[in-house]
Amino acid sequence: MILGIDTSLGSAVAVVEPDGVIRSQVESADPRGHAEVIGTLIERALADASVSASDITQVAAGMGPGPFTGLRVGIAAARTFALGRGVPVVPIVSHDAVALELLLHSALTADWGFAAGYEGDAEETFAVVTDARRREFAYTLYRGLDDDGLPLRATEPALTPRDDLDAVLAEAGAARRDAERIPAAMLALAAARALAAGRHIGPADALYLRSPDVTLPHAPKRVHL
């Protein structure tokens, strides 16, 4: 039983069985109140799934990209829960969850022509785009699913000024798919598929993509008397 936690946009928590059955998924769209709601969301997700903390065997953590303050709340919650239970954390790129949801939906509906993308058709490249604030977007390019049923990244997550995004995607020949939420169930499903394949698909550290505002102070100036 996998618990998925992400706070790279709003806050989202889900419980998913290893075979992909979604037991619960709860969300808060507030882009700033992560610390206030994450504990309640975890409690609700477990209750809605009719499971207890002792039933969780892995925790999928959304590693971003996302703003520094919000993103670290979810990662800390995932690591703390896993530490308390003595279970592993599975880091997942948050954009992978969005891409997986889009690709699975398209497989069922034949929407957007992604079916050809499963065979590596370069024309089916698409970009998952999220608001990185400060007049920037975070984006990741994808091209279908790989042999393990995981989204195939054509590029790693990157930042670009808002006014430049469409030109960047046009040059890459990628369709734009804006995301306003991260589906925690797909985050957990990606973790389940990665575990089944014996793969590590997410980074060990958070994908902030920009330096935090707070920096270490400079060394004190020497004073000559």
Side-chain angles (χ1 to χ4, degrees), residues 130-138 159-163 209-210:
T130 53
D131 186 359
R133 302 178 188 170
R134 299 189 183 175
R135 303 182 64 82
E136 289 183 313
F137 283 121
L159 282 179
T160 188
R162 292 186 182 186
D163 293 342
L209 301 186
R210 71 163 69 96

Side-chain angles (χ1 to χ4, degrees), residues 6-7 9-12 27-41 69-71 73-74 133:
D6 190 279
T7 55
L9 286 178
S11 301
E27 301 176 352
S28 169
D30 186 347
R32 299 182 184 276
H34 311 287
E36 291 79 7
V37 302
I38 192 64
T40 301
L41 291 181
T69 302
L71 184 56
V73 171
R133 302 178 188 170

